[in-house]
């Protein structure tokens, strides 16, 4: 099988491009697997800030506001006239927020004023809006009770009670058991369409271009090797190369998500990825028949991979894409790959339907068959042109 051996001899020389893509994807998978659900949930917890409060009013309303902020944040009282130390603390970020409650604060609250009740000093972009919103929330609640006829003491008591009774928010996952690992393994499958397109365009297509070059064809034609045998050897090389890439990524997933990868339902995701692999291999075969150079192949890999990924929901969830974008995406196989993966993972509003899953697989295989047919037509046309 000289053609078969030549296929993998060329593949060995062109392995660097495929290894680079695989290495980058492995690093991304490593970073994703290192994130636990607990660490993600930390982003949704209320955070404490370091606040310095100067109360120049020293009234019931101002003291109530200070007590409210102290119940949430780490509050300190700066020394009077020590503005330099305060500015230094903010500059070196040992203090996040400096609040000044000016004299007349309570009178203005009683009068129903809302603008410029307090002044603050902070570094721009250091989440000052977070504290500002809490102050506004407290003052507005206080003024609502005052407008209802409460005295200042009653309004403070009712406001404290209302704010303390605000509902507690918790992050809940509606996925199945071991949800953290399960969701990550489906994110692993989510981005395989892009990486398959990139690797087969950069790794396998140049091999086929070399084998289909005029010099290589002339050498083969001078030998006793039948044309059908040559075609079969090239097809076998493509199949083995593609399956090798696929198995390599499955091994990567098994390394990082061994427990989840061994679950029965992940088998559907594996089969889904295999169907898309067939399409990618067929598309690479079609492109290679036109004998583009490496620069053109890299350009096509970026254009096809990125456009299909953005239109079909690989990079952006399909639930966030507009109807017009999804209407275009339906004519691409990656759309049906993502639909199947979304159903398996429970992403968005997708509910698993076995019949629709097989429909997604079938559409991807039909795309692959169409690419193989176009490849045969293009190859025949080039042979007739050459003769």
């Amino acid at each position: 099988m000289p053609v078969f051996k030549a296929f993998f001899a060329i593949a060995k020389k062109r392995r660097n491009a495929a290894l680079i893509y695989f290495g980058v994807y492995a690093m991304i998978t490593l970073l994703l697997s290192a994130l636990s659900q607990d660490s993600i949930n930390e982003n949704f917890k209320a955070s404490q800030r370091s606040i310095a409060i100067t109360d120049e009013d020293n009234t019931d309303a101002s003291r109530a506001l200070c007590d409210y902020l102290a119940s949430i944040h780490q509050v300190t009282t700066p020394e009077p006239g020590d503005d330099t130390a305060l500015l230094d603390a903010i500059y070196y970020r040992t203090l996040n927020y400096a609040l000044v409650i000016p004299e007349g604060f309570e009178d203005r609250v009683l009068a129903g004023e809302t603008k410029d009740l307090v002044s603050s000093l902070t570094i721009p972009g250091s989440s000052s809006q977070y504290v500002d919103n809490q102050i506004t929330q407290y003052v507005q609640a206080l003024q609502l009770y005052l407008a209802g006829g409460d005295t200042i003491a009653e309004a403070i008591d009712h406001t404290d009670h209302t704010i303390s009774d605000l509902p507690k928010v918790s992050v809940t996952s509606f996925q199945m058991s071991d949800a953290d690992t399960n969701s990550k393994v489906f994110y692993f499958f989510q981005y395989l369409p892009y990486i398959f397109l990139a690797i087969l365009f950069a790794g396998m297509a140049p091999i086929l271009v070399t084998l289909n070059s005029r010099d290589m064809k002339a050498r083969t034609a001078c030998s006793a090797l039948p044309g059908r045998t040559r075609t079969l050897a090239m097809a076998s090389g493509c199949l083995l190369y593609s399956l090798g890439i696929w198995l390599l990524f499955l091994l990567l997933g098994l390394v990082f998500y061994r427990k989840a990868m061994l679950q029965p339902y992940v088998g559907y995701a594996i089969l889904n990825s295999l169907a898309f692999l067939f399409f990618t291999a067929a598309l690479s075969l079609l492109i290679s028949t036109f004998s583009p150079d490496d620069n053109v192949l890299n350009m096509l890999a970026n254009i096809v991979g990125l456009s299909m990924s953005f239109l079909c929901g690989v990079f952006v969830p399909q639930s966030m894409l507009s109807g017009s974008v999804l209407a275009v995406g339906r004519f691409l196989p990656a759309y049906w790959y993502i639909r199947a993966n979304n159903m398996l993972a429970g992403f968005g509003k997708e509910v698993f339907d076995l019949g629709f899953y097989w429909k997604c697989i079938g559409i991807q295989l039909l795309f692959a068959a169409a690419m193989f047919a176009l490849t045969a037509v293009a190859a025949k046309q080039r042979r007739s042109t050459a003769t």
Side-chain angles (χ1 to χ4, degrees), residues 176-178 181-182 185-186 254 257-270:
M176 55 194 77
S177 60
D178 297 329
T181 304
N182 292 338
V185 76
F186 285 112
L254 193 62
Y257 309 110
R258 182 174 59 181
K259 186 176 180 181
M261 288 287 287
L262 297 177
Q263 297 296 324
Y265 57 84
V266 178
Y268 289 108
I270 294 174

Side-chain angles (χ1 to χ4, degrees), residues 156-169:
I156 291 172
D157 183 62
H158 290 157
T159 300
D160 292 340
H161 180 73
T162 300
I163 291 180
S164 64
D165 285 345
L166 288 176
K168 305 299 181 183
V169 178

Side-chain angles (χ1 to χ4, degrees), residues 191-206:
Y191 303 109
L192 285 182
Y194 174 75
I195 202 68
F196 280 167
L197 287 167
I199 285 184
L200 293 188
F201 270 52
M204 190 176 76

Side-chain angles (χ1 to χ4, degrees), residues 51-53 61 65-66 68-69 72-73 97-101 105 109 114 116-121 128-143 159 163:
I51 301 177
I53 300 179
L65 178 59
C66 293
Y68 166 65
L69 293 175
I72 303 173
H73 304 286
Y97 193 94
L99 174 67
V100 177
I101 305 177
F105 170 78
V109 170
T114 57
D116 302 325
L117 294 176
V118 298
S119 60
S120 61
L121 181 63
S128 62
Q129 190 67 35
Y130 176 59
V131 183
D132 291 339
N133 288 339
Q134 291 172 334
I135 296 172
T136 302
Q137 179 189 38
Y138 188 88
V139 172
Q140 288 178 345
L142 187 64
Q143 289 179 329
T159 300
I163 291 180

Side-chain angles (χ1 to χ4, degrees), residues 268-346:
Y268 289 108
I270 294 174
L271 181 60
N272 190 34
S273 66
L274 182 61
F276 191 83
L277 179 81
F278 287 150
F279 162 76
T280 308
L283 183 60
S284 300
L285 279 169
L286 177 61
I287 296 299
S288 66
T289 58
F290 299 99
S291 301
D293 58 24
D294 288 351
N295 292 329
V296 175
L297 282 174
N298 289 330
M299 180 185 69
L300 289 174
N302 289 323
I303 293 175
V304 175
L306 291 175
S307 60
M308 193 177 296
S309 297
F310 280 109
L311 289 173
C312 300
V314 176
F315 294 151
V316 180
Q318 289 184 348
S319 59
M320 298 179 63
L321 296 176
S322 64
S324 57
V325 172
L326 291 177
V328 176
R330 286 187 177 90
F331 294 95
L332 299 171
Y335 170 86
W336 301 100
Y337 173 91
I338 296 299
R339 284 292 301 273
N341 193 66
N342 286 347
M343 286 195 304
L344 293 169

Side-chain angles (χ1 to χ4, degrees), residues 223-242:
S223 67
L225 186 68
R228 181 176 299 178
T229 303
R230 177 182 179 275
T231 302
L232 181 61
M234 289 180 60
S236 300
C238 291
L239 179 63
L240 193 58
Y241 185 94
S242 301

Side-chain angles (χ1 to χ4, degrees), residues 27-193:
M27 289 297 298
I28 295 174
T29 305
L30 175 62
L31 294 175
L32 181 62
S33 64
L35 293 175
S36 66
Q37 189 65 36
D38 291 337
S39 65
I40 294 173
N41 290 346
E42 287 294 327
N43 294 328
F44 297 94
K45 294 182 178 179
S47 59
Q48 285 190 333
R49 315 302 292 171
S50 177
I51 301 177
I53 300 179
T54 302
D55 185 3
E56 297 177 350
D57 193 42
N58 195 26
T59 56
D60 291 339
S62 65
R63 287 192 294 269
L65 178 59
C66 293
D67 292 340
Y68 166 65
L69 293 175
S71 67
I72 303 173
H73 304 286
Q74 299 175 358
V75 173
T76 59
T77 303
E79 294 293 333
D82 196 6
D83 295 338
T84 302
L86 196 63
L87 290 173
D88 288 342
I90 292 177
Y91 178 79
Y92 291 109
R93 296 183 183 268
T94 58
L95 185 69
N96 303 119
Y97 193 94
L99 174 67
V100 177
I101 305 177
E103 188 176 354
F105 170 78
E106 183 176 280
D107 294 335
R108 296 181 65 191
V109 170
L110 290 170
E113 297 183 28
T114 57
K115 292 185 178 180
D116 302 325
L117 294 176
V118 298
S119 60
S120 61
L121 181 63
T122 185
I123 296 177
S126 60
S127 69
S128 62
Q129 190 67 35
Y130 176 59
V131 183
D132 291 339
N133 288 339
Q134 291 172 334
I135 296 172
T136 302
Q137 179 189 38
Y138 188 88
V139 172
Q140 288 178 345
L142 187 64
Q143 289 179 329
L144 283 174
Y145 284 111
L146 289 170
D150 286 357
T151 64
I152 187 65
E154 291 172 341
I156 291 172
D157 183 62
H158 290 157
T159 300
D160 292 340
H161 180 73
T162 300
I163 291 180
S164 64
D165 285 345
L166 288 176
K168 305 299 181 183
V169 178
S170 60
V171 180
T172 304
S173 174
F174 293 96
Q175 297 177 357
M176 55 194 77
S177 60
D178 297 329
D180 184 21
T181 304
N182 292 338
S183 61
K184 288 178 185 176
V185 76
F186 285 112
Y187 280 119
F188 171 81
F189 284 103
Q190 182 89 358
Y191 303 109
L192 285 182

